[in-house]
């Protein structure tokens, strides 16, 4: 069962589907947000009750902003492995591309693939002229991914109920498309 009547796009990459949220995706979000290690970069571990509310917030974000992070599903087995996409909650400095994956999906190039699809979507379909990612300083994996995508560090930020973080600015739409079309982002999965 899908939670929204609004038309949520479905994005496909070679190995992934980025799609609307379904009730069974709660298990994926529990894996991300209930575990101390996984959740330390996304605001800290929460109870299952609070993760359910987080899921409702993600779905509600679509209604309020016209976009939200997508559920990321692995094509080979249909398993939901995380989220990626546009996000702009209260007190964020500007819209961002957010992402997180369950531990078993990390380090396999899925985040790169999902974020590339999300950037293409926000630039081509939503008309964004810029995008950021807010990355906790200690999150070396996300910092490396941002670097690989051509993003650059622009400053520090302190957000409510979050550890100190950095703002990373992604390439402009034109530079992103040029880099993507050259294969530069795709050659090291």
């Amino acid at each position: 069962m899908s939670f929204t009547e609004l038309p949520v796009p479905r994005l496909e990459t070679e190995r992934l589907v980025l799609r609307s949220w379904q009730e069974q995706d709660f298990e994926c979000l529990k894996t991300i947000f209930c575990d101390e290690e996984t959740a330390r970069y996304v605001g800290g571990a929460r109870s299952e009750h609070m993760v359910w509310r987080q899921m409702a917030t993600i779905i509600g974000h679509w209604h309020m902003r016209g976009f939200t992070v997508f559920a990321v599903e692995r094509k080979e087995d249909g398993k939901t492995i995380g989220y990626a996409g546009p996000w702009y909650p209260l007190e964020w400095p500007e819209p961002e591309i957010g992402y997180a994956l369950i531990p078993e999906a990390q380090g396999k190039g899925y985040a790169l693939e999902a974020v590339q699809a999300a950037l293409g979507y926000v630039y081509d379909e939503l008309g964004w002229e810029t995008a950021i990612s807010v990355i906790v300083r200690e999150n070396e994996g996300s910092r490396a991914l941002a670097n690989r995508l051509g993003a650059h560090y622009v400053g520090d930020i302190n957000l409510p109920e979050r550890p100190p973080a950095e703002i990373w600015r992604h390439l402009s739409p034109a530079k992103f498309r040029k880099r993507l079309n050259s294969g530069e982002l795709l050659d090291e999965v």
Side-chain angles (χ1 to χ4, degrees), residues 46-66:
R46 299 154 209 186
S47 67
E48 284 188 22
H49 173 78
M50 292 308 292
V51 175
W52 182 259
R53 293 182 74 169
Q54 179 70 36
M55 187 171 185
T57 298
I58 290 169
I59 294 165
H61 194 274
W62 185 269
H63 289 274
M64 294 180 72
R65 299 278 196 194

Side-chain angles (χ1 to χ4, degrees), residues 3-75:
F3 284 104
T4 180
E5 298 286 326
L6 295 172
V8 177
R10 179 182 172 94
L11 311 178
E12 291 199 34
T13 69
E14 182 181 334
R15 302 180 298 162
L16 304 172
V17 175
L18 282 71
R19 58 163 174 76
S20 65
W21 290 88
Q22 301 170 359
E23 189 169 356
Q24 63 266 23
D25 298 328
F26 179 60
E27 293 305 313
C28 170
L29 291 180
K30 280 192 330 188
T31 301
I32 292 170
F33 289 111
C34 288
D35 177 74
E36 275 298 331
E37 182 62 26
T38 308
R40 70 184 171 142
Y41 301 130
V42 289
R46 299 154 209 186
S47 67
E48 284 188 22
H49 173 78
M50 292 308 292
V51 175
W52 182 259
R53 293 182 74 169
Q54 179 70 36
M55 187 171 185
T57 298
I58 290 169
I59 294 165
H61 194 274
W62 185 269
H63 289 274
M64 294 180 72
R65 299 278 196 194
F67 57 82
T68 195
V69 293
F70 295 94
V72 176
E73 179 182 298
R74 192 168 43 207
K75 284 183 177 178

Side-chain angles (χ1 to χ4, degrees), residues 91-111:
E91 299 189 23
W92 247 238
E94 59 186 278
E96 83 156 325
I97 298 296
Y99 50 89
L101 298 177
I102 61 175
E104 75 178 65
Q106 295 173 9
K108 297 181 170 106
Y110 293 129

Side-chain angles (χ1 to χ4, degrees), residues 75-183:
K75 284 183 177 178
E76 77 178 43
D77 59 7
K79 183 172 185 171
T80 306
I81 60 169
Y83 64 84
W87 187 241
Y88 190 24
L90 185 66
E91 299 189 23
W92 247 238
E94 59 186 278
E96 83 156 325
I97 298 296
Y99 50 89
L101 298 177
I102 61 175
E104 75 178 65
Q106 295 173 9
K108 297 181 170 106
Y110 293 129
L112 175 67
E113 203 170 318
V115 172
Q116 285 178 171
L119 281 167
Y121 171 73
V122 301
Y123 290 156
D124 296 341
E125 302 300 323
L126 298 182
W128 289 13
E129 292 297 321
T130 188
I132 63 167
S133 286
V134 176
I135 301 173
V136 173
R137 289 184 187 125
E138 293 77 27
N139 190 341
E140 294 298 325
S142 282
R143 294 171 84 212
L145 175 62
N147 238 339
R148 187 160 169 215
L149 288 161
H152 62 278
Y153 167 81
V154 294
D156 295 331
I157 188 166
N158 289 306
L159 295 166
E161 301 175 24
R162 298 278 182 166
E166 300 172 343
I167 298 173
W168 285 72
R169 170 102 31 224
H170 290 282
L171 295 173
S172 69
K175 288 180 180 176
F176 170 75
R177 285 184 202 95
K178 181 178 178 185
R179 194 163 175 186
L180 186 63
N181 291 335
S182 75

